[in-house]
Amino acid sequence: IAALQDLYTKYPALVLQLEKTAVSSKNMLASASGLSADDLNKALSRLTKCLFIQYQGYDIVPTERFRIGFSKINQETTISRVGEQ
């Protein structure tokens, strides 16, 4: 849960998009999150290492582990605006 909480704090739009959909593509996640290709690759790599997503061809599918973890994270976290530290 700590890893998913950290990802939610750093990439909230990405995590929320994964939570809303059963299947996503990399292009759809890039558009929805507004992340650069490099940042998106880092986030997806971390999600994969933590077993929160699986790849099925070009599709990215959130796992049951992601769904259970998402229901337990603190979604009231204050998220900084773009450009703020």
Side-chain angles (χ1 to χ4, degrees):
I1 294 174
L4 189 56
Q5 182 69 55
D6 185 50
L7 284 162
Y8 179 78
T9 303
K10 290 180 181 174
Y11 311 108
L14 176 65
V15 174
L16 289 171
Q17 182 65 26
L18 285 168
E19 192 271 331
K20 291 178 188 175
T21 60
V23 177
S24 299
S25 69
K26 190 173 180 180
N27 289 337
M28 185 168 60
L29 291 174
S31 296
S33 66
L35 294 172
S36 68
D38 191 43
D39 288 340
L40 181 62
N41 287 336
K42 288 177 186 176
L44 291 177
S45 176
R46 187 149 174 227
L47 285 162
T48 303
K49 287 178 186 174
C50 293
L51 305 176
F52 291 131
I53 59 172
Q54 294 178 337
Y55 291 90
Q56 295 178 353
Y58 290 106
D59 293 332
I60 297 170
V61 181
T63 62
E64 188 67 22
R65 181 179 182 148
F66 173 84
R67 302 274 183 216
I68 292 169
F70 186 83
S71 69
K72 295 181 180 181
I73 64 171
N74 177 9
Q75 297 175 35
E76 310 245 340
T77 302
T78 303
I79 299 167
S80 60
R81 295 177 187 213
V82 175
E84 289 183 0
Q85 294 285 6

